[in-house]
Amino acid sequence: MEFISDLMAGYPNLWSGGVAHSVLILALVISIGIVLGKIRVYGVSLGVTWILFVGIFFGHFHLNIDENLLHFLKEFGLILFVYSIGLQVGPGFFSAFKEGGLNLNILASGTVLLSVVTTIVLHFTTGIPITTMVGIMSGAVTNTPGLGAAQQAVSDVTGADAPEIALGYAVAYPLGVVGCILTLLGLRYIFRVDLKREEREAENGNGHQQELTVRPVTIEIHNEAVDGKRIRDILPLINRRFVISRIAGEDGRHGELAGPDTELHLNDRVLVISSPADIEAIKVFFGREVDMSWEEDDAQLISRRILITKPGLNGKTLAQLRIRSNLGATVTRVNRAGVDLVASPQLRIQMGDRVTIVGSELAVSHVERVLGNSMKRLNHPNLLPIFFGIALGCVLGSIPFAFPGIPQPVKLGLAGGPLIVSILISRFGPTYKLITYTTMSANLMIREIGIALFLACVGLGAGEGFMETIVGQRGYVWIGYGALITLVPLLVMGVVGRLWLKLNYYTLIGVLSGATTNPPALAFSSEQTSCDAPAVGYATVYPLTMFLRVLAAQILVLCFL
């Protein structure tokens, strides 16, 4: 049985104990952690964070791998993790700063700022080193990239790793998950929320929901100023984003497709598709809303969703495709990353978009051939933007930026650099004909492999001194400090969001879950309602919050180390 001992403890004559030993340790830590992460207590699970705890357990019993290899795998896993996050959130990052999204992001930024202030106050009042406090803060807000950014900042300044950051993170993380959920429940009782009314308002499209959804409505035209005018001439008059898909009138038109040159007349009925934020103004302008079943009115027209899969279309506007004039069909909406967008002529399409086409069977089939609609083509991985983007991210993360009052130059590091580059590439890449699309499954695979490697290596590195720190250095009191960092910002900003910004409860708890980058809290919030308001709020603030958390962890280390 000597070979089993060598596999677990490592071969003494081989660098890093041997490849088989290193792979075995990592595989066991990750697989056991994933299994334990499926355990739920009262519906709450710590998920992949169990990998960190299993790594600490292995490290405590000296089942470890070479320090240099450990450091490389940890940083590489972090890069994969944050880069995949950037690719996912990038397309919606800048749209999140519209009127409704701006308020939500201000609220989330205030939550980040309060957690930083609480951390600084605890650092000075308790005398706990800033490295430990940053680890506690990252665990209290369940932000793993912040943990990685802090560790790399310490390494840049001192030339050595700081295992106490991971220890603080591990101690504070469980209550960070539970504390956030308890706060969301507490806000419900503090404000005596009527859940049914809040859900009804959320489904009708309140606040930021109005900017991220579209819905169809049938309007009967009573505005005499519209009579006899073409649709292209009306668009500048109302200054709202909308699409008129079909028209039915007294002149014999029944459910016909509408185009830019279609004339509108009094008593015509038109199917308008727009966002809830614009739809009321559109109804007032044209006339009044009526009920009408367009499917029964014209059975010859069909509606079908088609995938954009031809690389040559990436970055083109809908106007450039000329689908209405050349193919006799109409684009009514574009679905990107689960969000329906108004199909305005200036909208640039991207690989992986799903466009809703209305037209005859023949016209829709022609459009399908033009746009591609080939899932096989989408499944082919585009590796260039991934590895080229990672290279650019490493370069950006290594550039020092000098700020007044900070003794050491600030670097975005291997967490911030790839994150920013991936956001920019996924957002602006299609404009320059760069295909950045990756399937959700491929993106999730990269992300999960990255976070698993990172957490396993962090746990293995911190395991040796874990019990001594918790017992000998009264590390258990860190749980209380982490609870303060979790609860104080959420309660304060929850009150601000409800009383000052008048946010819908379900949007508010989604924003607060996103402000702590807390997936278990999002899962809890989503289970409370059938509407998607929590997910929309979470997705709106998540990109900026992630960036601020990474930057805040580094700045704290550089300012107070």
Side-chain angles (χ1 to χ4, degrees), residues 386-431:
I386 294 177
F387 286 100
F388 182 65
I390 287 176
L392 290 178
C394 291
V395 172
L396 179 62
S398 302
I399 299 175
F401 298 94
F403 292 96
I406 300 179
Q408 294 287 340
V410 176
K411 294 180 181 179
L412 293 172
L414 296 180
L419 178 64
I420 291 177
V421 169
S422 59
I423 289 175
L424 294 176
I425 282 182
S426 60
R427 171 60 181 87
F428 297 107
T431 304

Side-chain angles (χ1 to χ4, degrees), residues 24-347:
L24 177 65
I25 294 297
L26 282 173
L28 285 176
V29 169
I30 293 172
S31 57
I32 295 173
I34 290 174
V35 171
L36 293 176
K38 297 182 181 298
I39 299 175
R40 292 181 174 269
V41 178
Y42 297 106
V44 178
S45 169
L46 297 183
V48 295
T49 310
W50 267 109
I51 297 174
L52 173 68
F53 297 120
V54 174
I56 290 174
F57 178 82
F58 271 59
H60 177 71
F61 289 100
H62 306 289
L63 298 174
N64 219 320
I65 62 179
D66 179 79
E67 182 179 349
N68 294 321
L69 179 61
L70 196 70
H71 182 75
F72 165 74
L73 290 174
K74 179 181 69 175
E75 301 295 351
F76 183 64
L78 178 65
I79 290 171
L80 291 179
F81 176 61
V82 298
Y83 193 82
S84 61
I85 286 177
L87 286 180
Q88 180 191 13
V89 305
F93 182 81
F94 295 95
S95 63
F97 295 97
K98 298 176 182 177
E99 182 179 353
L102 181 61
N103 290 333
L104 301 190
N105 276 286
I106 290 175
L107 187 70
S109 300
T111 308
V112 176
L113 179 61
L114 273 180
S115 64
V116 171
V117 171
T118 307
T119 301
I120 294 174
V121 170
L122 288 173
H123 165 61
F124 283 110
T125 55
T126 64
I128 294 178
I130 192 62
T131 50
T132 303
M133 284 307 309
V134 171
I136 294 173
M137 181 187 73
S138 298
V141 298
T142 65
N143 188 261
T144 308
L147 165 66
Q151 285 191 319
Q152 195 193 27
V154 172
S155 178
D156 290 341
V157 175
T158 65
D161 287 336
E164 65 270 18
I165 299 179
L167 296 179
Y169 177 91
V171 170
Y173 189 96
L175 195 59
V177 173
V178 177
C180 181
I181 293 175
L182 292 177
T183 304
L184 303 183
L185 282 172
L187 290 172
R188 178 200 299 180
Y189 294 105
I190 290 173
F191 296 112
R192 299 179 181 180
V193 174
D194 184 340
L195 296 181
K196 291 185 178 179
R197 188 182 70 181
E198 296 291 323
E199 185 170 24
R200 189 165 55 249
E201 291 178 354
E203 288 175 343
N204 289 335
N206 270 353
H208 189 60
Q209 287 275 95
Q210 296 183 346
E211 297 179 3
L212 293 181
T213 57
V214 299
R215 65 186 181 94
V217 61
T218 301
I219 300 176
E220 189 172 83
I221 297 176
H222 293 292
N223 186 353
E224 294 183 358
V226 174
D227 190 29
K229 283 188 169 58
R230 298 178 303 173
I231 292 177
R232 69 165 71 248
D233 298 326
I234 296 172
L235 291 174
L237 299 179
I238 189 171
N239 196 26
R240 302 279 179 168
R241 291 187 307 157
F242 66 94
V243 173
I244 296 181
S245 172
R246 301 198 212 177
I247 183 171
E250 297 178 348
D251 56 357
R253 294 178 294 180
H254 296 287
E256 291 184 2
L257 290 178
D261 295 317
T262 301
E263 288 188 0
L264 301 181
H265 300 282
L266 291 177
N267 300 320
D268 281 351
R269 293 186 173 187
V270 292
L271 179 61
V272 178
I273 298 168
S274 184
S275 64
D278 293 333
I279 205 70
E280 290 301 323
I282 294 171
K283 287 192 291 186
V284 171
F285 177 82
F286 280 111
R288 64 183 180 89
E289 182 178 359
V290 295
D291 291 327
M292 183 172 178
S293 177
W294 292 92
E295 287 75 15
E296 296 177 1
D297 192 72
D298 193 339
Q300 293 182 348
L301 294 178
I302 63 172
S303 176
R304 183 178 300 166
R305 282 199 165 184
I306 297 176
L307 272 170
I308 305 290
T309 60
K310 287 193 175 180
L313 302 179
N314 194 61
K316 287 190 174 183
T317 64
L318 288 175
Q320 290 175 313
L321 298 183
R322 304 179 65 84
I323 290 177
R324 179 71 179 97
S325 57
N326 292 343
L327 302 173
T330 299
V331 181
T332 59
R333 69 190 76 178
V334 177
N335 185 278
R336 180 174 300 160
V339 176
D340 279 333
L341 307 174
V342 177
S344 59
Q346 296 76 30
L347 180 66

Side-chain angles (χ1 to χ4, degrees), residues 372-388:
N373 205 32
S374 172
M375 182 59 72
K376 181 179 179 181
R377 186 176 295 168
L378 278 186
N379 287 336
H380 182 76
N382 298 299
L383 298 181
L384 176 61
I386 294 177
F387 286 100
F388 182 65

